[in-house]
Amino acid sequence: MRKRTVWSSGGAAPLPAYSRIARLARPLASMRCALALLGLIALVTALASLIPQNASADVTLTLFGPLWSALFADLGLTSIHQSAGFLALIALLLAQLALSLLSRGRKLSRPTGGRALGHLLTHGGLLLICAGLLLDATPYAFHGRLVLREGETGERIRLDSADAAAHPLPFTIRAKRIEPGRASELELGEGRTAKKRILRVALDAPIEYSGVSLTQAGFVDVSRLALRARGLDGGKDEWLTLEAGEEARLAARAERIELSGIAPISLDSGRTERSFFAKLTASLGSGTSKHKPPLTLPAFQYRLRDASGEARDYSNSAQALSIDGQAYLISGERSSATEPFHYLKIPLDDRGSVETWFALRRILLAPQRQSELARRSAGTTAEPAERHAREASAQKTLILFQRQGFASLDAFIEQRIPAAERDQAASLFLKLLEALAWQALDLAQGGSFPRTAQHARFVRDSLAAISDGFLYRAPVLLEERDRQRLSASVLIASRSPGKPWVGLGGLMLASGVLLMFFNRPRRPPGSA
């Protein structure tokens, strides 16, 4: 019977015309189908390189915002390589390569030279690579991480997938000893009664056990922190002891504290000042103006969640930041992961404590203290009429400042003072506020607060921080008082049954390309 020709990516090969399978496989075995599949796979892979794959929701939210991150998650674009569509493309390419390899194998029965062998190796290599990728998509394969403290035992890993599902390991892992920054000593066993094996895994030096690759990915700080929740709402201070990942409810308030991490914060320089008071207090460091000194400080991160479930993120320094001889406690605040932190700089007193600032804030913002502070700041040496005028001006300034800090004074100047006199008025308000602050400090100390240049800077910095505190939306500010240092080992466990096939396929592919390159077809003599 006469045979018809079916074209494939490897050339022409005879298949029976009456074969129904041949008629169905003919479009799949064509060169056009191969190019279309390769183009689609390349396009999907390029898209996957633009969108972080298997990343947490916070990462995509930070990079793309709430709208696009939700859209990408709904379309499955955050886990493209594990999607059914991508695996279907790989399976179709595998079938196409198998048909092409079968067609080319018929031609190898004749002496066709090294170029045909190169075609065979190239197709076979691609086929093995696709088969290996499909094997790695089976439930038998996995890739995830495990975090263990010293002495802890784990037998399940958290998969690197969008849903971060848990997956059991075929053995147990116990972190026998942890050397932070270097390596971990692990005790491995496949059952409670099985003999244990102790292995050491170092950074960038993976080990194999029971068909699973274990890699030391790093170390995380899981220290236990003793925290003091200082009240910003007029309530009492509270004490908490938390580890990273733990949470606790404030006893006297409705909010919950979630200690989300212990990691350093990087602070960048640069800020924009627009108000009159910001220009006059440019050296103070306004937290709400996003001032970020170019330093990295040890810090801890926490989330404050109210009764309605709404949460805000905070990042507080665990070490004082020194700027030109003045020390500060840094506290960053933001409403979502898509926003930058707005930093509040609280000046520390001579003892390196925030006690004096909190005492000054408490007295300066107390409505019942307005008359007393205004009277003390007006002095006793002036004439009664002049003293009463000073007292009225001081009390008016304090009333405005108690509303929204410098923002209230800015608004008053914009509305009531001519443009040509606004800078002079702002300077006068600042002098009145400083006089009020000195008197508040005298009351807090129970005597005379030192009047030195360094303490004058402390007063100005304190006024700036108190003003910024109106935009610091939290009933408390956490201050680290003690730390019990602990580290945990981060291990990556993976099992890839397709890895050897992908490696062999890559070797065959490279060999086939070299054979085809060095065995080019020769033109017959006299041909154009």
Side-chain angles (χ1 to χ4, degrees):
M1 180 181 292
R2 183 184 176 185
K3 295 184 178 181
R4 298 174 60 184
T5 299
V6 176
W7 293 95
S8 71
S9 59
L15 290 175
Y18 56 79
S19 174
R20 182 172 300 177
I21 298 179
R23 288 197 298 271
L24 293 175
R26 186 180 303 161
L28 183 61
S30 66
M31 178 66 75
R32 290 181 179 180
C33 181
L35 294 177
L37 289 173
L38 289 173
L40 284 174
I41 292 174
L43 181 64
V44 172
T45 304
L47 182 61
S49 67
L50 299 176
I51 302 173
Q53 299 297 294
N54 301 320
S56 64
D58 290 341
V59 173
T60 55
L61 186 64
T62 302
L63 293 175
F64 303 106
L67 176 62
W68 289 104
S69 61
L71 180 62
F72 291 159
D74 293 339
L75 296 178
L77 299 181
T78 56
S79 56
I80 291 177
H81 295 140
Q82 289 80 32
S83 64
F86 182 78
L87 296 177
L89 288 176
I90 297 296
L92 286 174
L93 182 61
L94 178 66
Q96 200 279 336
L97 290 170
L99 291 173
S100 299
L101 187 61
L102 180 62
S103 301
R104 181 56 60 182
R106 294 171 178 265
K107 298 187 67 175
L108 285 180
S109 59
R110 302 188 300 270
T112 54
R115 187 170 179 82
L117 180 60
H119 275 287
L120 179 62
L121 289 175
T122 301
H123 283 76
L126 288 172
L127 188 147
L128 288 181
I129 291 174
C130 291
L133 293 176
L134 290 177
L135 280 176
D136 285 343
T138 61
Y140 182 74
F142 57 80
H143 187 282
R145 62 184 54 217
L146 176 68
V147 179
L148 292 176
R149 295 179 175 88
E150 189 167 295
E152 283 188 340
T153 301
E155 53 186 14
R156 301 178 73 86
I157 61 171
R158 187 68 61 182
L159 296 179
D160 293 338
S161 58
D163 56 356
H167 190 281
L169 288 170
F171 51 85
T172 60
I173 304 177
R174 178 177 175 269
K176 188 174 182 181
R177 189 162 64 94
I178 296 177
E179 302 173 21
R182 298 179 59 188
S184 299
E185 190 175 279
L186 306 178
E187 185 180 81
L188 309 174
E190 299 185 11
R192 295 184 177 180
T193 58
K195 185 178 180 181
K196 306 296 182 181
R197 185 179 177 185
I198 297 177
L199 295 176
R200 177 184 172 88
V201 55
L203 289 170
D204 301 323
I207 61 173
E208 292 279 342
Y209 181 78
S210 189
V212 177
S213 174
L214 295 174
T215 304
Q216 182 72 69
F219 303 88
V220 293
D221 192 339
V222 292
S223 299
R224 192 166 184 83
L225 305 184
L227 304 170
R228 183 175 182 178
R230 292 187 174 271
L232 296 173
D233 56 356
K236 294 183 178 180
D237 294 355
E238 300 184 37
W239 290 85
L240 303 168
T241 303
L242 294 172
E243 293 182 10
E246 292 184 342
E247 62 179 58
R249 182 179 297 277
L250 295 172
R253 298 169 177 89
E255 288 80 10
R256 296 187 66 86
I257 299 291
E258 303 170 5
L259 189 61
S260 53
I262 303 173
I265 53 175
S266 296
L267 307 171
D268 301 323
S269 59
R271 52 138 164 242
T272 302
E273 308 285 6
R274 287 185 288 183
S275 70
F276 295 102
F277 285 99
K279 292 176 183 177
L280 289 172
T281 61
S283 63
L284 305 185
S286 172
T288 56
S289 59
K290 304 179 187 179
H291 174 61
K292 305 174 183 179
L295 288 172
T296 299
L297 295 174
F300 61 95
Q301 294 72 40
Y302 63 96
R303 187 170 290 112
L304 190 63
R305 193 177 301 276
D306 59 22
S308 65
E310 183 179 355
R312 300 183 68 83
D313 295 325
Y314 298 85
S315 183
N316 291 6
S317 65
Q319 176 181 309
L321 168 65
S322 180
I323 302 177
D324 300 329
Q326 175 62 56
Y328 301 89
L329 174 69
I330 305 298
S331 179
E333 178 258 355
R334 66 183 180 185
S335 58
S336 69
T338 60
E339 295 182 359
F341 278 107
H342 294 223
Y343 289 96
L344 178 68
K345 288 173 30 179
I346 300 177
L348 306 183
D349 57 24
D350 296 339
R351 302 185 303 274
S353 171
V354 294
E355 292 285 353
T356 304
W357 182 83
F358 272 94
L360 171 62
R361 178 182 181 274
R362 185 167 52 253
I363 295 175
L364 204 59
L365 297 184
Q368 64 272 20
R369 296 278 195 171
Q370 293 173 1
S371 299
E372 181 182 5
L373 291 176
R375 176 177 50 80
R376 291 171 63 98
S377 66
T380 58
T381 58
E383 294 293 331
E386 182 181 355
R387 188 167 60 251
H388 290 316
R390 290 181 181 179
E391 185 176 338
S393 297
Q395 187 167 358
K396 179 64 175 178
T397 301
L398 186 55
I399 291 173
L400 288 173
F401 187 77
Q402 287 178 353
R403 292 177 183 172
Q404 286 295 324
F406 287 149
S408 299
L409 294 168
D410 278 344
F412 178 83
I413 291 176
E414 290 280 355
Q415 296 171 5
R416 302 291 183 88
I417 307 299
E421 302 176 8
R422 288 174 181 172
D423 287 345
Q424 183 180 358
S427 179
L428 177 61
F429 276 127
L430 276 179
K431 289 181 180 178
L432 290 172
L433 277 175
E434 288 179 8
L436 291 163
W438 285 115
Q439 297 304 320
L441 286 170
D442 288 344
L443 290 173
Q445 296 288 325
S448 179
F449 193 76
R451 261 68 167 175
T452 65
Q454 184 64 29
H455 291 92
R457 178 182 175 183
F458 173 82
V459 169
R460 293 192 297 269
D461 289 355
S462 296
L463 289 173
I466 292 172
S467 177
D468 291 342
F470 285 100
L471 297 181
Y472 187 87
R473 288 168 285 183
V476 294
L477 184 145
L478 292 191
E479 178 190 8
E480 182 180 328
R481 304 293 293 181
D482 192 20
R483 176 180 296 200
Q484 181 185 357
R485 297 191 177 276
L486 299 170
S487 294
S489 177
V490 181
L491 303 172
I492 292 180
S494 62
R495 183 165 59 190
S496 177
K499 184 177 180 179
W501 300 107
V502 172
L504 179 59
L507 181 63
M508 292 175 59
L509 178 62
S511 302
V513 170
L514 290 175
L515 279 174
M516 289 190 293
F517 180 79
F518 290 107
N519 289 273
R520 299 181 179 180
R522 298 179 179 179
R523 296 179 179 178
S527 62

